[in-house]
């Protein structure tokens, strides 16, 4: 296997772990942690393809990851604010109990 | 190269598994920091210094701390005796194992590039030139996307503050109204 395939397998494993957490955990915050892990696996793929790709001088993968990190930070901030707001409303951070949109 | 890669991968995967399976959410957040640090090391090993340090600053410095604060504010750090996985968790785990098997099969059977032996040069200066000016081969610059990302971050921060504050204010007014009468 080439080094690129090692990195792709590593990132696929990380993505699967993140997805498993997001699908199975009860706490909303841990679901968000799983989503962050999946985002990071995607970023790792971009960097690996940039490093081993045919045209690394154009740095498209690198710049995509820089933007992706910035947007992920915004997503985490809004997501955690929503979690705090939902917790105030339902007095619970359990995804199984948050099942209605009505206030 | 291979030994370092496997060390980084094992540490990162172990951190990720611990972050997704431990019972106490605070421990999960701290294990997430280990996974993020391992990813930053992987970026550094791939020759992307700027992204590696940005990963440390943004994820370990900001996102992980934000998650710890959210855990403390929602009081989910109190370990409950009940279940901490939701109902039919084996279906989720089975889906993820099938997904990883599909990924692994596709990756192993694909005829991917062998790549360069030398890591490409990507200093901060070159990233800046590429982002603001474009290079000879690639005339596109990323000035407008950068501005849009800045506006998005500002809007997200303001929105986060508004969302997190909202429902508290009427109750607090009620409290302050009720206290003088009592």
């Amino acid at each position: 296997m080439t080094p690129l395939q090692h990195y792709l397998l590593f990132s696929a494993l990380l993505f699967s772990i993140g997805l498993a957490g997001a699908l199975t955990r009860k706490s909303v915050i841990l679901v968000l942690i799983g989503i962050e892990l999946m985002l990071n696996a995607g970023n790792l793929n971009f960097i690996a393809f940039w490093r081993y790709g045919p045209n690394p001088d154009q740095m498209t993968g690198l710049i995509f990851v820089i933007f992706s990190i910035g947007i992920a930070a915004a997503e985490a901030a809004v997501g955690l604010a929503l979690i705090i707001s939902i917790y105030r409303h339902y007095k619970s951070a359990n995804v199984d109990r948050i099942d209605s949109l009505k206030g | 190269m291979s030994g370092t890669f496997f060390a980084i991968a094992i540490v990162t995967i172990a951190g990720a598994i611990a972050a997704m399976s431990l019972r106490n959410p605070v421990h999960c957040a701290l294990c997430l920091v280990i996974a993020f640090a391992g990813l930053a090391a992987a970026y550094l090993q791939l020759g992307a210094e700027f992204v590696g340090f940005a990963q440390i600053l943004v994820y370990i410095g900001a996102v992980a701390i934000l998650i710890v604060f959210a855990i403390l504010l929602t009081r989910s750090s109190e370990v409950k005796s009940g279940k901490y996985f939701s109902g039919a968790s084996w279906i989720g785990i089975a889906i993820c194992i099938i997904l990883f098997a599909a990924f692994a099969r596709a990756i192993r059977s694909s005829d991917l590039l062998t790549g360069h032996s030398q890591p490409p040069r990507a200093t901060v200066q070159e990233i800046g030139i590429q982002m603001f000016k474009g290079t000879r081969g690639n005339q596109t610059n990323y000035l407008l996307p950068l501005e849009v990302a800045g506006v998005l971050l500002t809007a997200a921060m303001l929105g986060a503050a508004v969302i997190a504050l909202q429902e508290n204010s009427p109750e607090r007014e009620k409290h302050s109204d009720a206290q003088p009468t009592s």
Side-chain angles (χ1 to χ4, degrees), chain B residues 101-120:
Chain B
F103 275 150
R105 191 170 172 273
I107 289 166
R108 287 182 69 96
S109 64
S110 66
D111 189 19
L112 287 167
L113 312 148
T114 47
H116 315 279
S117 49
Q118 288 296 317

Side-chain angles (χ1 to χ4, degrees), chain B residues 69-135:
Chain B
F69 268 102
I71 290 169
L72 298 181
L73 283 174
T74 57
R75 272 191 245 150
S76 47
S77 59
E78 294 158 13
V79 182
K80 298 179 190 77
S81 53
K83 281 167 63 183
Y84 59 110
F85 283 109
S86 67
S89 59
W90 59 271
I91 299 179
I93 290 170
I95 287 172
C96 295
I97 290 170
I98 293 167
L99 183 74
F100 178 68
F103 275 150
R105 191 170 172 273
I107 289 166
R108 287 182 69 96
S109 64
S110 66
D111 189 19
L112 287 167
L113 312 148
T114 47
H116 315 279
S117 49
Q118 288 296 317
R121 289 185 331 128
T123 58
V124 178
Q125 188 188 13
E126 285 174 23
I127 293 173
I129 289 171
Q130 178 73 63
M131 192 170 261
F132 295 119
K133 223 168 83 182
T135 46

Side-chain angles (χ1 to χ4, degrees), chain B residues 5 13 38 41 45 48 51 61 63 68 71 73 79 94 101 114 121 145 150-151 154 161:
Chain B
F5 167 74
I13 296 292
Q45 212 212 352
V51 176
V63 173
V68 170
I71 290 169
L73 283 174
V79 182
T114 47
R121 289 185 331 128
V151 172
T154 315

Side-chain angles (χ1 to χ4, degrees), chain A residues 5 7 24-25 53 88-89, chain B residues 20 45 74 86 107 116 164 167:
Chain A
Q5 281 171 316
Y7 275 103
T24 57
R25 290 305 295 254
R88 286 214 184 101
H89 189 82
Chain B
M20 291 286 86
Q45 212 212 352
T74 57
S86 67
I107 289 166
H116 315 279
E167 212 168 340

Side-chain angles (χ1 to χ4, degrees), chain A residues 21-49:
Chain A
L23 287 178
T24 57
R25 290 305 295 254
K26 258 186 166 179
S27 165
V28 193
I29 293 173
L30 286 156
V31 173
L32 200 78
I33 289 178
I35 291 170
E36 291 291 332
L37 278 179
M38 288 194 273
L39 266 167
N40 274 287
N43 285 350
L44 181 65
N45 258 5
F46 275 116
I47 296 282
F49 274 115

Side-chain angles (χ1 to χ4, degrees), chain A residues 12-83:
Chain A
L13 188 56
L14 207 61
F15 184 89
S16 304
I17 293 168
L19 184 64
L23 287 178
T24 57
R25 290 305 295 254
K26 258 186 166 179
S27 165
V28 193
I29 293 173
L30 286 156
V31 173
L32 200 78
I33 289 178
I35 291 170
E36 291 291 332
L37 278 179
M38 288 194 273
L39 266 167
N40 274 287
N43 285 350
L44 181 65
N45 258 5
F46 275 116
I47 296 282
F49 274 115
W50 164 76
R51 164 71 175 80
Y52 293 107
N55 218 345
D57 293 331
Q58 297 204 351
M59 295 193 221
T60 34
L62 208 59
I63 287 173
F64 202 107
V65 170
I66 293 170
F67 281 111
S68 165
I69 287 177
I71 289 168
E75 172 259 335
V78 174
L80 290 168
L82 280 172
I83 288 172

